[in-house]
């Protein structure tokens, strides 16, 4: 299997078609919550924002991957593209990919927490993981 094939499977099970619309919502929240544009474009803030967006994307993808992992039998009938992606990738590999996404998100959240001195960032990521995986 080529790298392009793996990437296509990842994009399919992560349901990237929903990502642009959701990112708009995230960016709106960032702009509304910012003190000023100058604050947002400062180097330190941009790095933290990028880390936060990466955390969000990883965990957003986790929800869809867990759903694909759990609903593969239903998807066989109704969402065949997802079913075929899961079968081609393998449920075990998909599960490992979910765990990697979660671990990277936790590490990044810990880093952002240290940079900002705000423990609630890590707490919210942990709560989000618990609720997101449970819901999915």
């Amino acid at each position: 299997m080529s790298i392009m094939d793996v990437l296509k499977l990842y994009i399919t099970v992560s349901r990237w078609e929903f990502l642009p619309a959701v990112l708009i919502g995230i960016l709106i929240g960032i702009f509304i919550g910012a003190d000023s544009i100058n604050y947002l474009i400062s180097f330190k803030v941009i790095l933290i924002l990028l880390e936060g967006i990466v955390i969000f994307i990883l965990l957003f993808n986790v929800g869809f991957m867990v759903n694909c992992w759990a609903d593969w039998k239903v998807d066989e009938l109704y969402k065949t593209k997802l079913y075929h992606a899961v079968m081609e990738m393998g449920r075990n590999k998909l599960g490992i990919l979910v765990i990697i996404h979660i671990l990277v998100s936790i590490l990044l959240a810990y880093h952002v927490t240290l940079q900002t001195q705000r423990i609630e960032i890590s707490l919210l990521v942990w709560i989000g993981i618990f609720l997101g995986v449970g819901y999915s």
Side-chain angles (χ1 to χ4, degrees):
M1 187 178 303
S2 73
I3 301 259
M4 287 306 292
D5 292 337
V6 171
L7 189 58
K8 286 178 186 174
L9 291 173
Y10 176 76
I11 287 170
T12 300
V13 297
S14 297
R15 307 296 301 270
W16 275 27
E17 65 267 23
F18 296 114
L19 197 56
V22 174
L23 282 178
I24 296 297
I26 296 299
L27 291 175
I28 289 170
I30 289 170
F31 286 123
I32 288 174
D35 292 335
S36 69
I37 294 295
N38 290 334
Y39 175 76
L40 278 180
I41 61 174
S42 66
F43 184 70
K44 184 178 180 182
V45 172
I46 285 178
L47 292 178
I48 290 170
L49 283 175
L50 288 175
E51 269 187 283
I53 290 171
V54 168
I55 293 167
F56 174 82
I57 291 171
L58 288 171
L59 294 177
F60 184 77
N61 292 349
V62 163
F64 285 116
M65 289 189 289
V66 168
N67 185 270
C68 287
W69 184 86
D71 289 350
W72 65 278
K73 282 299 244 181
V74 174
D75 291 344
E76 183 178 15
L77 299 172
Y78 300 107
K79 298 178 186 174
T80 57
K81 184 178 177 182
L82 297 177
Y83 169 77
H84 290 297
V86 171
M87 290 300 106
E88 198 170 331
M89 179 182 283
R91 289 185 74 228
N92 288 340
K93 288 179 186 169
L94 183 57
I96 290 169
L97 193 58
V98 166
I99 291 168
I100 290 169
H101 274 61
I102 291 171
L103 291 175
V104 170
S105 297
I106 290 169
L107 290 173
L108 288 174
Y110 180 68
H111 181 255
V112 171
T113 296
L114 291 177
Q115 294 298 309
T116 61
Q117 304 278 318
R118 301 194 60 160
I119 190 71
E120 60 266 31
I121 293 171
S122 285
L123 293 174
L124 288 171
V125 167
W126 276 100
I127 291 168
I129 290 169
F130 176 75
L131 293 174
V133 170
Y135 174 78
S136 298

